[in-house]
C-alpha cells in the first residue's frame, strides 16, 4: 500500500513539474456542422384575410344564390305569397324618391330614439356605479320597463303626444334603453382590481377613477351594446309607425299601406331598404369600434 501511494505521488509530482494538462477533445473534421436555427413559422390565422379573398366572400355568396333560387321557385309557384325578385327591383328603381323619403323619415326617428335611449342609459349607469342607492332604486323599474310590451303602450303615447315624431322616438328609446344600461353598468364594474389598487395607492379621486379607469374599461361593453341597439332602433321606429295610426311617413307606414292593398312588391322593397339601412348602421358602429378599441384584446388577430 505504501509503495502504491508513493508511485501515485511521484506521478502527480511529475505532472505538476512538467506543467502538462489534460488533453482537450479535438472536433472531428468529418462531422458536419449543426444546421442553423430557422426562424419560427408564424401560426396560421394571424393575418386577417383580405375582403377579396374567396374564403371571405364565397360562402355568403353561395348562401345568397341559394336563397335567391328558393325565393324564385316559391314566387313562381305562389305569386300571392312572394313577389318575383324582378318586381321588387322594378319597384325600387321605378320610384326611388318614394323609398328615399320614407327611409329618411324612419332613419331620423331611429337615430333620435337611440340617441335619447342610449344617452340616458349611459348617464344613469354612471350614477348607478357611483351611488349604490340609485342602483337599488332604479334597477327594478328598468327591469319592469324592459319586460313591458312597448306595442301595448304605443297607442297611449299617440294619444298623449299626437301623431308626430314624439311617440315614435319614445318607443324607440324604450326599446334601446335597457341593453345599454345593463352593458354599461357591467362594464363600469369590470375594472381590474390590480389597476384599481394602483389608482388608490396614488390617491386618485373618485372622479379620476371614473374618467381614467372605469369609463375606458366600459367602452367594449358599451360598443357591444350599440352594435345591438343601433340596428334595433330601426325595429322600434317601424313598430311605432305600424301602431301609430295616422302616421303619414316612414317605411313602416308605407309597408302597412302597401300590405293593405296587396302590393307585395312595395312591401318587400321597403323590407329590403330596412335591411340595407340596418347593415349600414351596423358597419358604421363596427368601424367606430375598431377605431376606439385598437388597444383591446378583442381587436387582436386570432391565432390557430
Amino acid at each position: 500500500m505504501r509503495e502504491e501511494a508513493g508511485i501515485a505521488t511521484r506521478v502527480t509530482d511529475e505532472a505538476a513539474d512538467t506543467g502538462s494538462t489534460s488533453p482537450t477533445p479535438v472536433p472531428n473534421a468529418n462531422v458536419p456542422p449543426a444546421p442553423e436555427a430557422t426562424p419560427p413559422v408564424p401560426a396560421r390565422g394571424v393575418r386577417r384575410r383580405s375582403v377579396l379573398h374567396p374564403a371571405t366572400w364565397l360562402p355568403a355568396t353561395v348562401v345568397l344564390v341559394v336563397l335567391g333560387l328558393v325565393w324564385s321557385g316559391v314566387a313562381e309557384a305562389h305569386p300571392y305569397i312572394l313577389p318575383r325578385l324582378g318586381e321588387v327591383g322594378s319597384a325600387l328603381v321605378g320610384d326611388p324618391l318614394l323609398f328615399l323619403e320614407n327611409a329618411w323619415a324612419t332613419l331620423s326617428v331611429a337615430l333620435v330614439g337611440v340617441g335619447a335611449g342610449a344617452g340616458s342609459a349611459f348617464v344613469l349607469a354612471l350614477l348607478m356605479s357611483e351611488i349604490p342607492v340609485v342602483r337599488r332604486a332604479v334597477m327594478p323599474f328598468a327591469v319592469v320597463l324592459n319586460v313591458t310590451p312597448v306595442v301595448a303602450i304605443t297607442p297611449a303615447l299617440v294619444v298623449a303626444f299626437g301623431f308626430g315624431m314624439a311617440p315614435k322616438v319614445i318607443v324607440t328609446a324604450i326599446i334601446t334603453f335597457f341593453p345599454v344600461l345593463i352593458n354599461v353598468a357591467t362594464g363600469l364594474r369590470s375594472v381590474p382590481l390590480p389597476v384599481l389598487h394602483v389608482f388608490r395607492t396614488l390617491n386618485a379621486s373618485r372622479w379620476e377613477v371614473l374618467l381614467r379607469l372605469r369609463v375606458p374599461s366600459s367602452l367594449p361593453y358599451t360598443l357591444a351594446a350599440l352594435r345591438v341597439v343601433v340596428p334595433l332602433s330601426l325595429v322600434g321606429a317601424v313598430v311605432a309607425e305600424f301602431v301609430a295610426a295616422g302616421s303619414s311617413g316612414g317605411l313602416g307606414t308605407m309597408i302597412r299601406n302597401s300590405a293593405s292593398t296587396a302590393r307585395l312588391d312595395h312591401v318587400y322593397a321597403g323590407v329590403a331598404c330596412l335591411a340595407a339601412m340596418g347593415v349600414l348602421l351596423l358597419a358604421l358602429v363596427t368601424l367606430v369600434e375598431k377605431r376606439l378599441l385598437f388597444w383591446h384584446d378583442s381587436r387582436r388577430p386570432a391565432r390557430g
Side-chain angles (χ1 to χ4, degrees):
M1 296 293 294
R2 289 182 178 177
E3 293 178 357
E4 293 177 357
I7 294 172
T9 303
R10 287 195 300 271
V11 171
T12 304
D13 295 340
E14 290 176 358
D17 294 339
T18 56
S20 62
T21 58
S22 59
T24 58
V26 179
N28 191 357
N30 297 326
V31 178
E36 296 181 357
T38 57
V41 179
R44 295 180 61 185
V46 173
R47 293 183 178 179
R48 297 181 184 272
R49 289 193 180 100
S50 173
V51 179
L52 301 178
H53 196 280
T56 302
W57 56 265
L58 186 59
T61 304
V62 171
V63 173
L64 183 62
V65 171
V66 171
L67 291 177
L69 293 176
V70 172
W71 181 297
S72 300
V74 175
E76 291 292 337
H78 306 283
Y80 53 87
I81 296 179
L82 289 178
R84 295 181 177 88
L85 293 176
E87 296 176 355
V88 177
S90 299
L92 288 171
V93 176
D95 194 357
L97 290 179
L98 174 66
F99 292 95
L100 288 177
E101 291 175 356
N102 288 282
W104 172 247
T106 301
L107 182 61
S108 59
V109 171
L111 293 180
V112 175
V114 75
S120 58
F122 187 84
V123 173
L124 188 58
L126 291 178
L127 294 176
M128 290 167 53
S129 66
E130 295 298 318
I131 308 174
V133 67
V134 175
R135 177 181 178 83
R136 293 192 296 268
V138 172
M139 186 56 69
F141 296 98
V143 174
V144 171
L145 183 64
N146 181 56
V147 300
T148 302
V150 183
V151 179
I153 64 175
T154 304
L157 294 175
V158 173
V159 173
F161 298 98
F163 299 103
M165 191 175 181
K168 304 174 190 177
V169 170
I170 294 174
V171 170
T172 306
I174 292 174
I175 291 177
T176 59
F177 174 80
F178 191 76
V180 177
L181 178 67
I182 293 299
N183 277 270
V184 175
T186 303
L188 291 172
R189 294 195 307 269
S190 64
V191 176
L193 288 180
V195 182
L196 183 60
H197 292 161
V198 171
F199 272 71
R200 290 175 177 174
T201 303
L202 297 175
N203 295 325
S205 63
R206 294 183 63 178
W207 183 254
E208 291 175 339
V209 172
L210 178 64
L211 292 183
R212 298 180 180 272
L213 181 59
R214 293 190 183 276
V215 172
S217 298
S218 67
L219 276 180
Y221 297 84
T222 304
L223 292 172
L226 290 179
R227 277 193 296 173
V228 176
V229 301
V230 170
L232 188 63
S233 63
L234 293 174
V235 178
V238 171
V239 168
E241 291 169 354
F242 279 163
V243 181
S247 177
S248 59
L251 289 175
T253 303
M254 189 191 71
I255 291 172
R256 183 191 61 194
N257 296 336
S258 299
S260 63
T261 57
R263 301 187 64 181
L264 295 181
D265 52 348
H266 280 69
V267 170
Y268 285 98
V271 173
C273 291
L274 288 172
M277 290 164 58
V279 171
L280 291 177
L281 289 176
L282 181 59
L284 180 61
V285 176
T286 304
L287 179 62
V288 174
E289 183 181 11
K290 289 182 179 180
R291 296 293 184 182
L292 294 180
L293 296 183
F294 62 92
W295 51 270
H296 197 257
D297 292 340
S298 61
R299 306 314 312 169
R300 297 178 182 176
R303 294 181 177 272

